[in-house]
Amino acid sequence: MFDEAQYFAPVATRDDGSVVVELAKTHPGFADEVYRKRRNAIAALALGYQPGAPIPHAEYTDEEHRVWALVTKELAVKHGKYAVREFLDAARRLGLPKDRIPQLQEVSDLLQPLTGFRYVPAAGLVPLREFYSVLADGLFHATQYIRHHSVPFYTPEPDVIHEVIGHANTLASPRFAELYRLAGRAARRVETGEALEFVSKVFWFTLEFGVMRESGELKAYGAGILSSYGEIEEFRGMDIRPLDLAAMGTTSYDITKYQEVLFEAASLDHLEDLIGTFWDTCDDDMIARLRSSR
Ligand SMILES: [Fe+2]
């Protein structure tokens, strides 16, 4: 079952028009009224967003900027050890601020000249079809809030650290950006829900949690691993399998835990040949055959 909905805090609009993010009791920010107010305000910005308009400015506290600075510094050390070369080169070209949370508009302005990608603010979960299909147009939906400052290295949901440190640095690579676009075209092409889920699972096991062999070492290129302070230290010990479309498109995963099964590309060329070609050419029939081959 594809259960991404459990991952995002639900966002509700009340009768009076106010927007409320329903944090679970276990969320680190649950008892922090000030944080919750900010979460509501940031969600309201995304809900009121008009496509094509500048992305509204989100307010952050000094404590939150410090969370960004701390995580950026610590992850940079880990990236040097565990990230693929293509990611490191792209991150250098993008040049994200290290000392404060960048606004999504700013991230878009840095990214667009490099690969044409732009950000779109998301209040929470974006429906699968919409999230993936607009990748074909170079649009990436991202949440704008940041994790609770009491636990800088933990978040139960994708926050701006994941969306920007994980995804924007990857989207700054023309080769990875093209793979995102191809996934988007595939999502737009397929018709059945099963085929769309298959396409999104292949995305999950590659652009979110993919690993790759580089100069004999296992490195990460997936945004989920590269934005997770804990997971980046653990991925080499997981159950590493070779890239296999049918397996990736049908293997279930638990979004709330470290990913135990990971798929390894032999190289970036290999990833482009197998996964890029799949997204470029797949249709409902091809995916039905792959699903029934398991
Ligand atoms: Fe992601």
Side-chain angles (χ1 to χ4, degrees), residues 8 26-27 44-45 51 72 76 95 105 114 117 133 140-141 170 188 238 250 253-255 289:
F8 288 86
T26 52
H27 191 288
L45 292 180
T72 292
Q105 183 60 50
L114 296 176
F117 259 88
S133 59
F140 188 83
H141 281 100
T170 319
R188 196 164 266 171
M238 297 302 178
T250 55
Y253 57 83
D254 183 345
I255 204 159
R289 281 195 300 277

Side-chain angles (χ1 to χ4, degrees), residues 140 162-163 167 208 223:
F140 188 83
H162 168 71
E163 309 282 28
H167 286 291
E208 286 287 357

